[in-house]
Amino acid sequence: MRRQADCGLAKSDIRTLATELIIARAASGELKATQRMPDWFGYADFDAVAVQLDEQGRVLIPDALYDGLTLQFDPVFRQMIGKTGRGQSVHFMRMLPDPIVRNVIEEVLIPAGDVTLAATLSLPEGTGPHPAMVMISGRGCWGRGRSFGRVLTRYGMAVLEYDKRGTGQSSGDCDRATFDQLVADAGAALQWLRDDPRIDARRVGLQGGSAGAWTAQGVAALALDDPDFDVPAYIVTYIGPSTSIETQQRESGDALADQLGLDESAKAAIQRSVDVTLDFTLSNETVFAELDAIREKASEEGWLSQMFGDTDLPVSPEAVDQLWLRRFQFDPASTFSRLGSMPYLSLLGEDDSIVPLPYNADALREAMPDNPNLKIVIIPGTGHGVEHGDRDPVLPDGTTYRKFDTVEPLYFTELIDFLRVHGQLPR
């Protein structure tokens, strides 16, 4: 049973919610319901949850989105009407089944120097050779997403998503990984994909999300310096920086401080944390003492968690060498100047305080003034992510409306258009 809901909120605040509900029997014989949110493309489907029938014949799905669903079935018109746990009215109507989109999902292992990367390869229908993309995730010990492949293969592209070293099913130590190691891993994934006979080796590129942009840029630098390594066919960065890692840390610190309304002493402490972390002439004991004092100040003033991550401040002198900023140092400027006319798409959030828009857009323009295939797209109303969030936008006539949280489609439409324009996707 597959249906789509119209969901109306109380009073005059009416919303049509594009929710798909699939109710089917699991292998165990139990009724299970799976919800899909077409507005949230790029995200994995929600897990299947239990379906119950009460004495009145109502369908109860207590673990569904919006605090559960209570539904009644109309046996004549075969529709379902009810409410969410939040009191919203819902109306599910039968839909046509999905068109058959034939693709192949393979779990693969990729040798990368001293580690083995576990990955998912999504292939579109047909024998190929297919254009392809390697997805590179951002900062932190994150595994593969497994969602972009599902979307992009529908447009004719093969997608490789892998667990970073030391995460998921990949071997290695993520907590001690260096920037050069992550670049080598991504390069190994790129070469492995090119060697697959189902892939068009001339049309394999990289997408780096957030800090993964530096990794993608680092792979390009590696390829430019190695005649046996082909440069990527294109690079796409999503909310990814184009300044050096040190510069991004400083600019982000200022932007976040302004956003939080911090005073000048707090701003100075934030900048001092970068100075001390990158001063390799200081002993580990001295670095720890200074950063610990900054930690105490940030904690007392209430901005510690908003400003610093777990790997920004050490817990002991021995942990100083494992600080993220000590393991990750890179400046893409010289690489940009050597890319020539390589297609390069940069998608930046208008309100991003982690990768501030003005600095990063300007850095790209200044570094590649003669690249006709450089495209910078500013995604309105978004920060360091693809979602808008709930808000009350003001219309040109001064009135407002309630806009509910959703994914901004401009990211995908610009990505697909860019790939098609440069011959990386079938039109």
Side-chain angles (χ1 to χ4, degrees), residues 259-275:
Q259 187 180 82
L260 296 170
L262 303 185
D263 60 23
E264 292 303 318
S265 69
K267 291 182 178 181
I270 294 164
Q271 295 301 320
R272 180 60 181 162
S273 71
V274 179
D275 295 336

Side-chain angles (χ1 to χ4, degrees), residues 9 17 36 56 75 102 117 122 126 129 133 141 185 189 213-214 228 231 242 275 280 322 325 371 375 385 393 399-400:
L9 299 183
L17 177 65
R36 292 178 182 171
Q56 286 77 42
R102 299 186 185 278
L117 304 176
S122 303
M133 175 185 290
C141 295
D185 292 347
W214 286 313
D228 296 325
V231 297
S242 50
D275 295 336
F280 290 89
Q322 298 309 315
L325 195 50
N371 185 346
K375 186 173 185 180
T399 59
T400 64

Side-chain angles (χ1 to χ4, degrees), residues 225-299:
D225 292 332
D226 186 345
D228 296 325
F229 194 107
D230 293 330
V231 297
Y234 58 88
I235 290 177
V236 176
T237 64
Y238 167 61
I239 56 171
S242 50
T243 60
S244 71
I245 295 178
E246 177 185 350
T247 299
Q248 182 272 335
Q249 289 290 96
R250 295 188 183 280
E251 292 167 346
S252 175
D254 281 342
L256 280 170
D258 289 339
Q259 187 180 82
L260 296 170
L262 303 185
D263 60 23
E264 292 303 318
S265 69
K267 291 182 178 181
I270 294 164
Q271 295 301 320
R272 180 60 181 162
S273 71
V274 179
D275 295 336
V276 172
T277 301
L278 292 177
D279 191 342
F280 290 89
T281 67
L282 301 176
S283 68
N284 282 13
E285 289 72 18
T286 300
V287 173
F288 171 72
E290 284 219 43
L291 293 181
D292 200 46
I294 294 172
R295 183 207 312 275
E296 184 175 350
K297 173 182 175 65
S299 179

Side-chain angles (χ1 to χ4, degrees), residues 7 9 17 65-71 82-90:
C7 177
L9 299 183
L17 177 65
L65 293 180
Y66 301 100
D67 298 333
L69 293 170
T70 300
L71 306 169
K83 289 185 178 295
T84 71
R86 301 181 186 179
Q88 301 159 326
S89 297
V90 291

Side-chain angles (χ1 to χ4, degrees), residues 41 47 54 83 106 117 125 216 306 353 364 421:
F41 48 82
D47 293 334
D54 69 6
K83 289 185 178 295
E106 297 180 358
L117 304 176
E125 182 180 18
Q306 295 99 321
S353 56
L364 271 178
V421 165

